[in-house]
């Protein structure tokens, strides 16, 4: 931990030098042992590489009682097994360039953090495939900077607030050591940080001596908020507080930034007011971190007090250092990045929790040390890495129904698992419209139409399940007819497609005769024609008439005609024959195997005779039980809905 007030905080590195006690052998015994060892050395066999000056001489090898294990053709050499004496003799041959022992090599491995199991991490073999790595979490280190050339660190960006230091490169080493604990890369050398895939930001607020001002710390915090970082690590402290610094951390905390700070290093050996948690860790909005040793005991240097929140390993911690090196260091500065790293893993595991919810969850998951419950030396306890959170199961049995007052209601059931579901998210046409619905039901008022609804389960960690989806047809329920009426489904279809609607009083009036203007407007909307109100060729259809646009467009396309006197008579009730004639001009029906019906009140000279024949064969227009069609009978709104909906279904 670096002290803002002093040049550098106390670092405690213990080492014991022990002189071994060796019993010297007697003179006679020593001589005998020497002779025995010499004999064993000459007769013992080892692996050797024999390199020839020209080509491989197999006869020479055989003369020395050895065989070839492998040929190394590119260098005219062989691998073989020889005694030390035979190797020496072979090396003296004029055909041999040299003989050397075939030494073993091994892969270079990463240093494995010895504290992982204590912190609830899974086996190291699981880290690359199934465990959290801090991916997608932005972490800032407010410190002396980070060594920008260290091969084991990857820096996403940063800033310097130290006068005379234009870059965030580390000229001290402290910040680099902190950075490695959090985010040293997962490769074949060095160490592996606890969250190697975080986006790491170097925020230089301490100079080459490890000293900084409160104002520089505030600058760094403000920069972290502006860059939308998730967590910042402050392995630094001051014995004195600051109203400005407290205001800065409180404001940052309100904006969702997790602030993790060292409790401070002390030299006294007993707890007192002088051993208290230092600033800014002392502030309530900051997570105060203390240290424990390898035995989970409280080291005397670690700051204590009621503000202490969690503890982590802080004695003899191996991590990255400047000049592409590694070092052991001790202090609450080393414990703090353990906590920061584990916070990033929780943030990855529980992305939808608020800052306070995440903080509470982490504190609950700690392993209690010392006195039961929260205490001055260990806080809530030793921080623990999160368990792997599984994606919850999706809801099942998703259905919908249409309610009165223009509402659609979704219903579903929870999947039969033991996991705790926090709520359900609702999506309409791919856009989330409601979060964490607690009941197994959702309803909303929405205009008629066709909508794709999706529902996901959300567990306690904020993870969403896959989506349960349903296509819905939303329409108005009119109070003046029942859903079971013979024409109801056709009215609902056209209403969902915005082709017809009810009256301002909410009713549909299914038995009310329909006018020529209303019929043309319905067909025009179904064909998606231009219905913009405008002047028409008919003197009795003014631009102010609600259906003027459709009358104009359908007349221009030859789909609707007026009368011989030049009028259109838009308010005149339309007959069954006229409706069939209009639909026949507007739509081309599919080929049908049905037979046309013969109606006793329609002759072949009737203007819509052929149209009625086609539409009756397609079962769109059926007559009455008495064998008539009643072509001059007025068409009701419900009948018009049936004629049009069936025509749409049977057209190309």
């Amino acid at each position: 931990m670096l002290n803002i007030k002093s040049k550098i905080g106390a670092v405690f590195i213990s080492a014991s030098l022990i002189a071994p006690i060796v019993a010297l052998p007697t003179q006679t015994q020593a001589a005998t042992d020497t002779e025995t060892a010499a004999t064993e050395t000459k007769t013992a066999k080892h692996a050797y590489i024999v390199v020839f000056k020209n080509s491989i001489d197999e006869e020479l090898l055989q003369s020395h009682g050895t065989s070839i294990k492998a040929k190394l053709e590119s260098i005219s050499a062989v691998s073989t097994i020889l005694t030390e004496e035979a190797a020496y003799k072979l090396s003296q041959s004029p055909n041999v360039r040299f003989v050397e022992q075939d030494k073993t090599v091994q892969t270079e491995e990463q240093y494995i953090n010895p504290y992982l199991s204590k912190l609830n991490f899974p086996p190291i073999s699981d880290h690359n495939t199934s465990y959290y790595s801090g991916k997608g979490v932005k972490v800032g280190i407010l410190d002396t900077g980070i060594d920008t050339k260290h091969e084991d660190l990857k820096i996403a960006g940063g800033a310097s607030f130290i006068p005379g230091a234009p870059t965030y490169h580390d000229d001290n080493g402290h910040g680099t050591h902190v950075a490695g604990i959090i985010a040293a890369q997962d490769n074949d050398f060095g160490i592996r940080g606890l969250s190697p895939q975080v986006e790491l930001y170097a925020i230089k607020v301490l100079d080459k001596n490890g000293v900084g001002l409160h104002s520089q710390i505030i600058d760094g915090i403000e920069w972290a908020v502006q860059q939308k970082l998730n967590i910042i690590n402050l392995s630094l402290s001051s014995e004195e507080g600051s109203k400005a610094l407290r205001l800065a951390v409180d404001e940052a905390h309100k904006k969702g930034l997790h602030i993790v700070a060292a409790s401070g290093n002390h030299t006294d050996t007993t707890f007192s007011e002088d051993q208290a948690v230092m600033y800014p860790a002392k502030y309530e909005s900051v997570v105060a971190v203390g240290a424990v040793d390898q035995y989970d005991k409280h080291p005397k240097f670690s700051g204590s007090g009621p503000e202490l929140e969690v503890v982590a390993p802080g004695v003899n911690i191996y991590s990255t250092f400047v000049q592409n090196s590694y070092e052991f260091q001790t202090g609450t500065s080393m414990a703090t990045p353990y906590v920061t790293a584990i916070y990033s893993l929780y943030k990855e595991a529980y992305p939808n929790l608020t800052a306070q919810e995440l903080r509470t969850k982490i504190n609950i998951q700690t392993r209690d040390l010392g006195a039961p419950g929260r205490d001055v030396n260990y806080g809530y306890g030793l921080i623990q890495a999160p368990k792997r959170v599984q994606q919850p199961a999706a809801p099942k049995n998703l259905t919908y129904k249409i309610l009165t007052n223009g509402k659609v209601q979704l219903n579903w059931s929870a999947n039969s698992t033991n996991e705790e579901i926090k709520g359900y998210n609702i999506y309409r046409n791919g856009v989330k419209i409601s979060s964490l619905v607690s009941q197994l039901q959702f309803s909303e008022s929405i205009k008629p139409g066709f909508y794709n609804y999706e529902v996901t389960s959300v567990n306690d960690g904020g993870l969403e399940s896959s989506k349960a989806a349903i296509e819905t047809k939303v329409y108005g329920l009119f109070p003046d007819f029942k859903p079971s009426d013979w024409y109801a489904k056709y009215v609902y279809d056209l209403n969902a497609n915005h082709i017809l609607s009810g009256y301002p009083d909410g009713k549909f009036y299914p038995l009310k005769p329909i006018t020529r203007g209303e019929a043309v407007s319905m067909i025009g909307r179904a064909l998606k024609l231009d219905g913009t109100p405008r002047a028409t060729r008919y003197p009795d259809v003014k631009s102010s008439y609600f259906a003027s646009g459709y009358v104009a467009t359908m007349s221009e396309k030859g789909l609707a005609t007026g009368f011989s006197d030049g009028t259109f008579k838009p308010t005149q009730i339309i007959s069954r024959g006229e409706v069939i004639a209009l639909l026949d001009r507007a739509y081309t029906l599919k080929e049908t195997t049905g037979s046309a019906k013969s109606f006793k009140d329609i002759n072949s000279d009737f203007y819509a005779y052929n149209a009625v024949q086609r539409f009756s064969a397609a079962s769109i227009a059926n007559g009455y039980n008495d064998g008539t069609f009643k072509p001059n009978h007025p068409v009701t709104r419900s009948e018009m809905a049936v004629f049009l909906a069936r025509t749409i279904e049977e057209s190309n």
Side-chain angles (χ1 to χ4, degrees), residues 438-646:
S438 59
Q439 298 179 331
L440 301 175
Q441 186 182 92
F442 171 80
S443 63
E444 67 167 340
S445 296
I446 192 168
K447 67 180 182 180
F450 294 85
Y451 303 94
N452 175 262
Y453 282 96
E454 296 167 316
V455 182
T456 62
S457 305
V458 183
N459 65 14
D460 187 50
L463 289 184
E464 276 190 281
S465 69
S466 58
K467 293 176 177 178
I470 191 169
E471 295 288 343
T472 65
K473 179 175 69 176
V474 180
Y475 48 82
L477 286 179
F478 301 102
D480 50 348
F481 69 87
K482 299 188 292 294
S484 58
D485 287 338
W486 68 277
Y487 51 82
K489 87 178 200 68
Y490 300 105
V491 173
Y492 295 151
D493 280 346
L494 296 183
N495 181 244
N497 281 288
H498 309 136
I499 295 172
L500 62 73
S501 59
Y503 284 82
D505 62 0
K507 294 181 180 180
F508 183 72
Y509 295 99
L511 302 181
K512 181 179 179 180
I514 194 168
T515 66
R516 284 170 52 82
E518 289 174 317
V520 166
S521 68
M522 286 177 61
I523 296 172
R525 282 193 291 271
L527 293 172
K528 295 181 170 53
L529 300 179
D530 180 10
T532 306
R534 59 188 185 274
T536 71
R537 67 178 68 167
Y538 306 108
D540 56 344
V541 181
K542 306 297 184 185
S543 60
S544 58
Y545 180 61
F546 82 95
S548 63
Y550 291 115
V551 170
T553 302
M554 290 190 67
S555 296
E556 292 164 5
K557 292 181 176 293
L559 304 179
T561 58
F563 292 88
S564 58
D565 63 358
T567 63
F568 189 78
K569 298 181 174 52
T571 59
Q572 180 175 295
I573 301 301
I574 196 168
S575 68
R576 285 165 57 84
E578 287 179 298
V579 165
I580 297 303
L582 272 175
L583 292 173
D584 187 52
R585 286 193 291 269
Y587 291 92
T588 301
L589 300 181
K590 302 173 187 175
E591 290 187 12
T592 179
T593 58
S595 300
K597 298 179 178 62
S598 177
F599 302 106
K600 58 186 180 182
D601 56 346
I602 295 182
N603 297 320
S604 59
D605 58 352
F606 179 63
Y607 72 92
Y609 175 79
N610 291 330
V612 171
Q613 290 287 293
R614 284 190 287 272
F615 276 65
S616 66
S619 297
I620 297 172
N622 300 310
Y624 293 88
N625 292 333
D626 62 0
T628 63
F629 186 76
K630 297 184 173 51
N632 298 317
H633 228 303
V635 174
T636 64
R637 285 171 55 81
S638 58
E639 286 177 312
M640 182 67 198
V642 174
F643 282 145
L644 181 54
R646 285 179 177 173

Side-chain angles (χ1 to χ4, degrees), residues 115 118 292-298 369:
Y115 297 107
K118 288 186 177 183
V292 292
D293 61 20
Q294 59 267 44
Y295 306 109
D296 295 340
K297 299 298 182 183
H298 170 72
L369 299 175

Side-chain angles (χ1 to χ4, degrees), residues 163-440:
T167 73
Y168 49 75
H169 180 72
D170 189 1
D171 47 10
N172 175 282
H174 187 269
T176 301
H177 197 274
V178 168
I181 297 170
I182 297 171
Q185 294 298 286
D186 189 7
N187 45 38
D188 296 329
F189 61 88
I191 65 170
R192 182 189 189 278
L194 302 185
S195 51
Q197 291 194 45
V198 296
E199 291 183 31
L200 188 66
Y201 292 84
I203 307 173
K204 189 176 178 69
V205 295
L206 303 178
D207 63 19
K208 63 182 179 181
N209 297 314
V211 177
L213 298 173
H214 283 150
S215 59
Q216 291 160 345
I217 309 302
I218 294 171
D219 275 336
I221 293 171
E222 289 180 346
W223 186 89
V225 172
Q226 292 166 1
Q227 301 302 314
K228 301 187 185 308
L229 269 59
N230 304 112
I231 310 165
I232 56 173
N233 185 99
L234 286 79
S235 288
L236 48 82
S237 68
S238 173
E239 293 179 0
E240 298 179 8
S242 159
K243 291 181 180 179
L245 181 58
R246 179 168 191 167
L247 184 61
V249 294
D250 287 350
E251 285 299 312
H253 175 69
K254 289 177 184 177
K255 294 176 180 177
L257 183 66
H258 295 281
I259 307 163
V260 184
S263 66
N265 296 341
H266 298 277
T267 56
D268 197 359
T269 59
T270 57
F271 174 70
S272 65
E273 288 299 320
D274 294 333
Q275 290 287 90
V277 172
M278 294 185 187
Y279 300 95
K282 198 178 186 73
Y283 298 130
E284 186 178 355
S285 57
V286 179
V287 178
V289 181
V292 292
D293 61 20
Q294 59 267 44
Y295 306 109
D296 295 340
K297 299 298 182 183
H298 170 72
K300 294 176 181 178
F301 65 80
S302 182
S304 301
E307 301 88 359
L308 189 67
E309 195 154 330
V310 291
V311 292
V315 176
N316 291 339
I317 306 301
Y318 189 62
S319 185
T320 50
F321 204 66
V322 289
Q323 297 182 347
N324 210 34
S325 64
Y326 301 83
E327 278 195 9
F328 285 96
Q329 290 194 6
T330 292
T332 53
S333 279
M334 284 65 253
T336 303
Y338 271 88
V339 173
T340 295
I342 290 177
Y343 255 79
S344 74
L345 303 182
Y346 273 93
K347 183 67 177 174
E348 180 186 2
Y350 302 99
N352 295 322
L353 294 187
T354 66
Q356 189 55 51
E357 287 172 339
L358 195 70
R359 187 173 180 178
T360 300
K361 176 174 281 293
I362 292 172
N363 290 339
I364 291 173
Q365 298 297 325
T366 57
R367 179 159 66 87
D368 194 17
L369 299 175
R374 189 174 186 177
D375 61 73
V376 296
N377 285 334
Y378 300 99
Y380 288 104
L382 182 65
I383 193 165
Q384 301 288 287
K387 294 179 180 178
R388 185 68 187 176
V389 180
Q390 300 298 324
Q391 185 183 37
K396 61 180 183 179
N397 304 324
L398 179 60
T399 60
Y400 81 98
K401 63 180 179 179
I402 305 301
L403 307 177
T404 55
N405 303 320
K407 283 191 173 184
V408 58
Q409 178 179 291
L410 304 178
N411 297 278
W412 61 90
S413 56
N415 215 303
S416 55
T417 62
N418 294 325
E419 61 191 335
E420 186 172 338
I421 299 300
K422 188 174 183 180
Y424 299 90
N425 290 342
I426 314 298
Y427 296 82
R428 185 198 330 113
N429 295 342
V431 178
K432 185 190 291 186
I433 58 173
S434 187
S435 299
L436 300 179
V437 175
S438 59
Q439 298 179 331
L440 301 175

